[in-house]
Structures are given as C-alpha cells and as structure tokens.
Amino acid sequence: MYGPPQAPRPSPQSPPGPASGGLIALRVLFVALPLLSCGFLAWAPMLRLAILTQKVRDWVFFGLAFVVATALFVYMGITGEKETSDLEAVIGVGTILALGAGSVAYYLVGEIRHYDRHRALPAAVPPPFRPLGYAYGPDGSAVATTPSGAPAPYICAPPAPAQPHQPPTAPRIDQVRAELDELSDLLRKDGREGEGSR
C-alpha cells in the first residue's frame, strides 16, 4: 500500500472471447449487402476481406466477384425486354445466387479465421532488441543493457560478493513505525500512572 512504486506487471492475457458488437455489426452488414441487392453487391464483402487480410488470393477473388457481378447485370440490362429461354434464366439466376452465397460464405470463413489467428498470437512480442541504457533488474538494482546483437561488455574485475538483500523501507513506513513507538510509550506511561494512583 505504502512504499516505493512498483513497476507495472503485464496483465495475464484473457482467454479469447466472442467477437465484439462492432465486429458482429460489420459482419451482418457485409452479409446483408449481397443478399439485399440480389447479388449485385456480392463484391463488397470480398473487398472488405481483401483489405483486412492483405492477401493476393483475396484480391483476386474480389476482382472476379466484381467482374462477374458487373457482367451479369450488364447482360441483364441488355436483354431485359427480350424473351429469354428457360435455360438462360436458370443459368443467370443460378449464377447470381451462387455468386451471392459464395461470396458471403467465403467472407465469413476468411474473416473468422483472420481474427482467430490474431487471438492465438501472444499478447506482447518482445522487440528484437532492447534499447541501450539502464533498466531495473528483478531485485530493483540498476542494470546496464546492451543490444541483443552486440557482445556483452568485458568486465576486468571480478564482481563484488553479493550482500544479503534487504528490501528498502519507504520513508512513510519509517514515519508510521516512529509514531507507533511513540504511541506505545505514551500508553505505557499512562498505564503506569493509572496503576500508581490505585
């Protein structure tokens, strides 16, 4: 409670929990876009996944989804008033549904895996080197640090024998001890005076 301030200790990493509310809202939004636009915006979740993961494969899938969705809707616009055969209609609607469902499924699987990989990584990766200067060792003494790639400095004299370590007492604790000693002396004095008057 009282005493010199202690160095902050790293908090233990909490176990991975469910996704946050904001992340779930984004997932719902990007799943709803292709479904509510009848497949026209099937490229939108692919774009989010490509930006999120920065993988070439995801950028290629985004490009393919964009080209296929645009081509289908251009074709539908050109042949809108013409009578189409049942085969053309089945192929067109099937392609739109497959594009929408495929982009949604790939997006959800890719994003969930992306965030699971980040949760599995350790919380704090130590830097590849330590900064030059002084740090505090486990016993509170100052220790000179060197970069991890540099050799340790040569010490000419043997180290001094280790003295038993006594934790430093804080000025506040010394003050409290002095006040308690004074109080106990006062109580003893009052106790002796009270016994003498009886």
Side-chain angles (χ1 to χ4, degrees):
M1 189 155 128
Y2 299 108
Q6 299 293 323
R9 300 191 188 279
S11 61
Q13 183 182 6
S14 61
S20 69
L23 183 60
I24 291 174
L26 280 174
R27 285 179 184 163
V28 168
L29 174 73
F30 281 100
V31 165
L33 279 175
L35 300 177
L36 296 176
S37 67
C38 297
F40 182 66
L41 296 176
W43 52 269
M46 303 302 287
L47 176 63
R48 171 165 164 72
L49 185 63
I51 290 171
L52 188 67
T53 62
Q54 295 293 317
K55 291 183 180 177
V56 175
R57 178 186 63 203
D58 294 333
W59 284 106
V60 169
F61 286 156
F62 158 68
L64 287 174
F66 185 77
V67 168
V68 169
T70 305
L72 279 172
F73 283 94
V74 166
Y75 176 74
M76 286 176 23
I78 292 173
T79 62
E81 296 296 322
K82 296 181 185 174
E83 188 68 32
T84 59
S85 67
D86 289 338
L87 179 63
E88 286 178 340
V90 168
I91 289 175
V93 170
T95 306
I96 290 172
L97 290 176
L99 180 64
S103 69
V104 165
Y106 185 78
Y107 165 72
L108 286 175
V109 168
E111 184 173 305
I112 290 170
R113 284 185 181 169
H114 173 75
Y115 282 110
D116 282 345
R117 269 186 245 121
H118 281 289
R119 281 192 193 110
L121 294 176
V125 177
F129 61 89
R130 293 189 327 222
L132 291 176
Y134 290 94
Y136 291 100
D139 61 347
S141 62
V143 178
T145 61
T146 59
S148 60
Y154 180 72
I155 300 173
C156 296
Q163 297 176 354
H165 182 272
Q166 294 179 349
T169 58
R172 174 77 176 141
I173 293 176
D174 292 337
Q175 179 186 357
V176 169
R177 282 185 188 150
E179 290 174 358
L180 286 174
D181 289 341
E182 185 179 329
L183 182 62
S184 66
D185 290 343
L186 182 66
L187 288 174
R188 277 190 216 119
K189 182 180 173 186
D190 286 346
R192 288 183 195 141
E193 289 175 4
E195 289 175 7
S197 63
R198 286 185 193 175

